[in-house]
Amino acid sequence: AQKVTQAQTEISVVEKEDVTLDCVYETRDTTYYLFWYKQPPSGELVFLIRRNSFDEQNEISGRYSWNFQKSTSSFNFTITASQVVDSAVYFCALSSGGGADGLTFGKGTHLIIQP
Amino acid sequence: KAGVTQTPRYLIKTRGQQVTLSCSPISGHRSVSWYQQTPGQGLQFLFEYFSETQRNKGNFPGRFSGRQFSNSRSEMNVSTLELGDSALYLCASSNNVGLAGNTGELFFGEGSRLTVL
């Protein structure tokens, strides 16, 4: 069985602060994929990043960065210099078993950026 | 390029009724997946269709069914509605599919919000 845990239910920070969203996953497969999605109030999930289990390189995209550590089964997401537009619910997700079980999502972290 | 379109966006039904939700994927995408989102259970995988065939199914009762047409459009149906079926139903399409399932980026629609009274 696979599982994704996002322990932070809600985080509130003031604009321009850096914020890290935690994600811990469990899977018995050696080949798997990790994702982050953003869900604004409109409802659709917006893809942010996909990582496969063989690529532990950290990634940076503008103000966003991701830290993948297999040793701790974590795939954390950091927003640098947060902005009000970053306010949303963020989901970490896992796909293993060749995708046969769909995506397993964490419960999500509601990020509130206060002006 | 048009995104994933889901209709209707909102609907209200009563217990025992049935409902059909529609999803038009991004042009060229052959895989369509459905997810249920509730406050209690979060996001859960319902099923995935590829080339008009249900390829994978999540842990939901048989009241939940779906189909995919030759143009990749998909519908899902829930029969004998229960109060617990109230949820946001999200459809996602992809053009990145593996042999067993979808391991790539999913493009989601805005969802159909179902309320069962």
Side-chain angles (χ1 to χ4, degrees):
Chain A
Q2 51 194 38
K3 184 179 177 183
V4 176
T5 301
Q6 294 180 257
Q8 303 149 310
T9 304
E10 183 174 290
I11 299 175
S12 181
V13 299
V14 177
E15 199 172 20
K16 296 184 183 177
E17 286 186 15
D18 298 346
V19 58
T20 295
L21 309 182
D22 297 333
C23 172
V24 175
Y25 63 92
E26 295 176 32
T27 179
R28 293 178 181 173
D29 291 327
T30 55
T31 300
Y32 52 88
Y33 300 86
L34 295 165
F35 302 80
W36 276 94
Y37 282 87
K38 173 182 180 180
Q39 186 175 41
S42 55
E44 83 278 19
L45 288 161
V46 177
F47 168 82
L48 295 177
I49 189 171
R50 171 181 179 263
R51 227 36 181 169
N52 74 56
S53 52
F54 300 106
D55 183 2
E56 285 193 75
Q57 273 194 329
N58 291 331
E59 180 154 341
I60 299 174
S61 177
R63 296 183 297 106
Y64 294 172
S65 63
W66 291 269
N67 184 302
F68 175 27
Q69 291 196 329
K70 287 178 75 170
S71 60
T72 55
S73 297
S74 65
F75 187 43
N76 296 337
F77 173 32
T78 297
I79 301 175
T80 303
S82 60
Q83 299 177 2
V84 173
V85 294
D86 295 327
S87 297
V89 180
Y90 290 86
F91 291 93
C92 180
L94 167 70
S95 174
S96 61
D101 296 322
L103 285 176
T104 297
F105 284 89
K107 294 292 189 184
T109 297
H110 185 196
L111 178 62
I112 301 168
I113 310 297
Q114 299 180 31
Chain B
K1 199 174 191 181
V4 177
T5 304
Q6 292 188 245
T7 57
R9 290 292 314 281
Y10 303 91
L11 66 166
I12 300 174
K13 294 286 187 178
T14 56
R15 278 182 300 174
Q17 288 186 311
Q18 74 164 16
V19 65
T20 298
L21 308 177
S22 180
C23 172
S24 293
I26 291 172
S27 178
H29 287 191
R30 295 168 62 196
S31 168
V32 173
S33 302
W34 289 88
Y35 287 81
Q36 181 197 63
Q37 185 176 23
T38 60
Q41 299 300 316
L43 281 153
Q44 294 184 284
F45 172 66
L46 280 159
F47 27 63
E48 183 218 353
Y49 285 87
F50 179 70
S51 293
E52 301 179 62
T53 302
Q54 185 183 89
R55 186 162 63 163
N56 295 299
K57 191 177 192 306
N59 189 25
F60 279 82
R63 301 186 297 107
F64 292 81
S65 62
R67 57 178 175 170
Q68 186 180 33
F69 302 94
S70 58
N71 61 359
S72 293
R73 191 176 70 85
S74 177
E75 290 181 347
M76 68 162 283
N77 184 277
V78 188
S79 62
T80 319
L81 284 166
E82 300 176 0
L83 294 179
D85 297 333
S86 294
L88 179 66
Y89 290 88
L90 291 162
C91 168
S93 74
S94 175
N95 62 356
N96 182 349
V97 293
L99 291 175
N102 197 320
T103 59
E105 173 186 355
L106 296 181
F107 294 83
F108 283 84
E110 292 184 316
S112 293
R113 186 168 295 281
L114 170 66
T115 300
V116 182
L117 302 176

